[in-house]
Amino acid sequence: MVLPLLTRLDHVGIACRDLDRTVELYRATFGLEVASFEVNEAQGVREAMLRVGSGAPVAGAPGAGYVQLLEPLGPDTPVGKFLARRGEGIHHVGYGVTDIEQALSEIGGTGIRLLDERPRHGSMGASIAFLHPADLGGVLTELVQFVPVP
Ligand code: V0V
Ligand code: CO
């Protein structure tokens, strides 16, 4: 095992009620542009990734970090429930890993609950998996393995 398991900050996920308005807020306030815009039915979100900085590449993955703006596809989705309970704000933190299967196995072995036993499809082609916030000080934590486009 190569430590640390987390190689970089990939993104901060922010729950919002109106994705288009929030994208515009980030553009007008910070000059950030949308790098990718996707609907992820399985995760129940419309989401936009806004790249922050260019960053030096780490372990073959782009070094840039992102802000991920998340709008729920409905009330009975992770982000829909979060908005109803807590309102708009930071929803999760996503960290880069080099080998997500191995990271899940190592982290699962520590007793932290895995919300995904197997990686799932994430933004921009990445493999992602979530860890339970109740076991990590109230922070919903996402592992992200960058998958290069062939
Ligand atoms: C809920 N809770 C959270 C939370 N969401 N705590 C911290 N951060 C969050 N984001 C707490 C909530 O306050 C409750 O705490 C407890 O969990 C149960 O809340 P709930 O509303 O009943 O929610 P659950 O249990 O139905 O679901 C919560 C979890 C769920 C975290 C298990 O949201 C989940 O599986 N999330 C993973 C998938 C996801 O979030 N997808 C959207 C992003 P108390 O009151 O009991 O203490 S998709 C994405 O990021 C992509 C595609 C990408 O990056 O590529
Ligand atoms: Co995310």
Side-chain angles (χ1 to χ4, degrees):
M1 173 188 28
V2 180
L3 291 175
L5 292 172
L6 308 181
T7 56
R8 63 197 185 91
L9 264 172
D10 186 273
H11 66 270
V12 176
I14 295 176
C16 63
R17 295 203 165 83
D18 184 328
L19 182 60
D20 298 337
R21 270 184 54 185
T22 310
V23 163
E24 176 53 24
L25 176 67
Y26 275 72
R27 195 200 60 72
T29 309
F30 304 119
L32 294 178
E33 302 288 346
V34 174
S36 114
F37 186 94
E38 295 180 32
V39 174
N40 188 322
E41 297 274 352
Q43 297 289 346
V45 291
R46 282 175 77 214
E47 52 97 0
M49 284 291 211
L50 282 52
R51 191 171 61 242
V52 182
S54 49
V58 177
Y66 294 84
V67 177
Q68 181 177 42
L69 302 177
L70 304 152
E71 180 193 271
L73 291 178
D76 198 19
T77 59
V79 175
K81 288 168 78 174
F82 180 90
L83 282 173
R85 200 187 266 253
R86 302 194 185 193
E88 294 186 312
I90 295 180
H91 179 259
H92 66 270
V93 179
Y95 297 98
V97 294
T98 44
D99 182 337
I100 195 165
E101 306 259 7
Q102 190 187 11
L104 281 173
S105 151
E106 299 285 349
I107 294 165
T110 69
I112 303 284
R113 275 170 288 170
L114 310 178
L115 292 169
D116 303 297
E117 295 284 340
R118 296 181 179 286
R120 307 177 67 180
H121 168 74
S123 193
M124 302 189 289
S127 283
I128 62 169
F130 287 91
L131 310 175
H132 206 293
D135 294 343
L136 285 166
V139 179
L140 176 60
T141 302
E142 179 184 344
L143 307 178
V144 181
Q145 183 181 346
F146 171 74
V147 178
V149 180

